[in-house]
Amino acid sequence: MTDLGKVDRSFFDRYIYPNLGTDRDDVTLGPQHGVDFGVVEVGDRAVVMASDPLSLVPALGFEKAGWFAVHVALSDAAVSGIPPSHLSVTFTLPPEMTDEQFGAVWEAFDREASELGVSIVTGHTARYGGCQYPWVGGATTLAVGDPDAVVRPDGATPGDRLLVTKGPAVEVAGFLVTLFEDAVDLSDSTIETAKERFWDMSPVRDALTAAAAGPVTAMHDATEGGLRGALVELAGAGGVRLDVDADAVPVLPGVAESCEFFGIDPWAATSEGTLLLTVESGGVERVLDALDDEDIPAAEIGEVSAGEGVFVDGERAEKPEADPSWEVFEEYADRVGLE
């Protein structure tokens, strides 16, 4: 098991995968390592389910922290291509969190859920001794729709084209620079540009826009392990080979400078907001145009073929052993006294 972050495949295969309770016929997609969601069929409807921990970082300000938390909660269901519809939220709050601070978080949840057509239907909220920031609970998102409209994580097919939105390490710029601005030795203009990436740290609109526009065959967001990790997971889920042109991958303003300052490999760093997707070749322009209409940067970066693994400019790429963002976060949190 990895020291920090998600468990690795060997841990998953040994402890989790063989122990999944009752084998039910209505579960059409169950737990798989590196896969974002599961699917249950109820009557003629597919119910997509995804669960994630809730993280609140007070130094962001509680409204921004709430915005980020709710988008993380909705992201894994959204990559199914079915719009998230229902949300269950559990908060296990630190005793020192005030009512007003929680109110700012909850207002952000309500606002973003309302704009995305999501109903918050149940949950649990309490303060408990021993709870501490940033991990303050968990959430489960449902997305209900036509089973034929679900974009399965294992749907990539030889001949498809590979696309990406926003490019790598969006979260390094948007999250780390926002948190540790006073310790970042970059120009004021670069810092301000990097901080704008915060609002790019959601793949929800990316996924729903792409799925509505054209023949998307698979989607996966680039969280822990970054773009390289997500590529390996996407290829593994589909049992296909991905060939990637590194020069075609977009890099948003402020990202390269932020990664250089923190000493982070941008392709290995968690990048909430970055979406990988495979698209039937005839639909690429339609999907790219739809994303452009929503002001979501995107590019075609490669192709899907028979085989296995990920090859960047012809060289095999492996999943990072660890996400460098964790170590940098801990170092700078200690340095600035972040709680």
Side-chain angles (χ1 to χ4, degrees):
M1 182 175 177
T2 51
D3 291 334
L4 293 173
K6 295 179 182 177
V7 301
D8 57 27
R9 180 177 290 276
S10 63
F11 181 96
F12 179 88
D13 289 344
R14 180 176 180 181
Y15 293 103
I16 297 174
Y17 185 72
N19 304 303
L20 300 176
T22 299
D23 185 10
R24 292 180 56 94
D25 292 339
D26 54 0
V27 178
T28 58
L29 179 63
Q32 299 177 35
H33 188 262
V35 170
D36 298 308
F37 58 87
V39 182
V40 174
E41 288 196 4
V42 181
D44 62 351
R45 298 281 86 184
V47 180
V48 175
M49 300 181 181
S51 295
D52 270 295
L54 284 180
S55 171
L56 295 177
V57 180
L60 290 172
F62 284 95
E63 183 178 358
K64 289 178 77 172
W67 180 93
F68 186 52
V70 71
H71 277 271
V72 170
L74 299 175
S75 294
D76 281 354
V79 300
S80 72
I82 305 296
S85 52
H86 303 85
L87 181 63
S88 171
V89 186
T90 292
F91 285 103
T92 53
L93 303 174
E96 66 268 24
M97 187 178 196
T98 68
D99 292 357
E100 291 74 21
Q101 290 168 342
F102 178 77
V105 170
W106 195 245
E107 286 174 9
F109 266 71
D110 172 62
R111 182 180 62 251
E112 297 303 310
S114 296
E115 289 184 4
L116 291 165
V118 176
S119 178
I120 301 170
V121 295
T122 189
H124 177 93
T125 304
R127 293 186 181 94
Y128 294 112
C131 294
Q132 60 184 6
Y133 297 116
W135 305 110
V136 297
T140 295
T141 301
L142 305 183
V144 182
D146 183 348
D148 293 334
V150 174
V151 179
R152 289 181 59 95
D154 56 359
T157 302
D160 290 346
R161 307 300 297 178
L162 178 66
L163 280 62
V164 70
T165 69
K166 299 168 184 165
V170 171
E171 197 170 338
V172 172
F175 189 75
L176 293 181
V177 173
T178 297
L179 278 181
F180 306 123
E181 176 180 358
D182 292 342
V184 174
D185 185 17
L186 293 170
S187 69
D188 290 346
S189 61
T190 300
I191 288 173
E192 290 306 311
T193 298
K195 287 165 60 180
E196 284 300 309
R197 301 285 74 79
F198 181 90
W199 304 109
D200 294 317
M201 294 194 307
S202 169
V204 175
R205 286 195 307 121
D206 309 33
L208 300 182
T209 298
V216 176
T217 56
M219 292 192 284
H220 187 38
D221 57 343
T223 52
E224 294 176 39
L227 182 59
R228 189 179 299 118
L231 285 164
V232 172
E233 289 175 346
L234 184 65
V240 293
R241 170 173 169 148
L242 301 179
D243 283 279
V244 182
D245 176 3
D247 289 339
V249 177
V251 178
L252 294 189
V255 168
E257 298 91 336
S258 301
C259 288
E260 183 176 0
F261 173 79
F262 288 117
I264 286 178
D265 175 357
W267 281 48
T270 182
S271 189
E272 183 72 35
T274 297
L275 180 72
L276 283 169
L277 54 158
T278 57
V279 180
E280 293 179 13
S281 58
V284 169
E285 290 306 316
R286 193 156 70 247
V287 171
L288 289 174
D289 287 346
L291 291 167
D292 184 62
D293 287 344
E294 293 294 321
D295 296 322
I296 299 170
E300 180 182 343
I301 64 169
E303 62 183 358
V304 183
S305 61
E308 57 86 26
V310 175
F311 294 81
V312 178
D313 296 338
E315 294 196 10
R316 190 178 186 103
E318 302 292 348
K319 187 174 181 178
E321 292 185 5
D323 190 314
S325 305
W326 291 108
E327 186 174 339
V328 169
F329 177 85
E330 289 192 335
E331 175 189 344
Y332 277 82
D334 288 342
R335 185 178 300 185
V336 304
L338 180 69
E339 296 182 356

